[in-house]
Amino acid sequence: MLTLTDAIASHEELRDRIADTVHKEFQTNVYHLYALVLVKAFGYSFNTYKAIGHLLPDCFYEQGCALFRILWEATLNLAWVTRQPTERSKLFLQFTVVEKRKFLRFQTAEARRRRDAAALAKAEAELRAFDETFDRILGEYRHSNRKGRGKLSPRFSGPSLEDVAREMGGEWAKEYRETYPLLCFYAHASPGAVLFPNPVLENITIEAFDEYDHPRTVMLALWSMAVMERAYRMIWPLVGIDDSEYLGALDARVQFRASLK
């Protein structure tokens, strides 16, 4: 198995390679709204990857796995947009309107709960003005629920993350079934994550957990490299590069792609 030192070095090597390749001025013919989504979503994914790297030397794999869940979801969202860039980049960008409206509705409900008449009147006025301004955009995300009432979609990309992963298929669908549940354990600090690997309670000691720190941290390093490669490949058309040869050589050395299979 790859040593922790080598895993961290490989993780940093990929980080530096991507930074050196992508952080430059370029001209592109990519559809402008899709280009905006690519730049911002890729940057979000890359920053998350770099944040994971800061946790690896201290073997903080539990917190790193919570960040890896963010990296995985962000890259899946970008992959979904990339399949139909013209239509879906618009859905991605406009969804901020839906999210803003959720916040305004919360303000209204909170003022009503407090029975604050002045605050409620102000919040309702803001909500009405917002709805009038963005009625057309909000209409693109409305659907009828089982009772026939209009309801705003909870996601820009589909009813649920599971639906998106199933639509994408392949590695995404497999990882949603087999890996994503573990990442949720870490994100929600469940007993299964805190007490991994669930030692026999009669013999439990703090030392029983130590032997798993390095292997789990190596796993996290490789998993995040595998998903970061996907985001990296998606931005190649924008910056006009193809780094397949380098990635193939890196994978031959550390086998990061196989880590999620």
Side-chain angles (χ1 to χ4, degrees), residues 7 13 23 28 32 34-35 45 50-51 55 61 99 107 129 144 166 179 196 209 226-227 233 240 248:
E13 178 187 335
H23 292 166
T28 182
H32 70 287
Y34 177 51
S45 297
K50 289 183 283 187
L55 301 178
Y61 66 86
E99 293 171 324
Q107 285 186 316
S144 296
R166 187 184 299 116
T179 307
F196 177 88
F209 297 94
V227 173
R233 286 180 177 274

Side-chain angles (χ1 to χ4, degrees), residues 86-110:
T86 302
E87 300 85 357
R88 292 180 174 180
S89 58
K90 180 181 176 183
L91 287 174
F92 184 95
L93 292 165
Q94 287 185 161
F95 196 71
T96 56
V97 174
V98 178
E99 293 171 324
K100 173 66 174 179
R101 189 181 190 278
K102 290 179 181 178
F103 177 74
L104 293 176
R105 283 196 65 191
F106 171 79
Q107 285 186 316
T108 303
E110 185 65 12

Side-chain angles (χ1 to χ4, degrees), residues 125-192:
E126 289 180 353
L127 182 58
R128 284 194 301 271
F130 188 87
D131 284 348
E132 290 173 3
T133 302
F134 296 103
D135 179 67
R136 180 189 60 79
I137 292 176
L138 290 168
E140 297 183 33
Y141 299 91
R142 285 196 180 97
H143 66 278
S144 296
N145 59 17
R146 294 178 181 177
K147 296 182 179 180
R149 297 173 181 172
K151 187 179 178 70
L152 287 171
S153 299
R155 292 178 52 83
F156 73 93
S157 54
S160 69
L161 188 68
E162 180 180 5
D163 291 317
V164 175
R166 187 184 299 116
E167 177 189 336
M168 296 300 295
E171 57 200 4
W172 293 112
K174 179 178 183 295
E175 290 159 12
Y176 182 84
R177 294 191 307 269
E178 300 176 4
T179 307
Y180 189 76
L182 174 64
L183 304 179
C184 292
F185 282 0
Y186 283 116
H188 299 298
S190 76

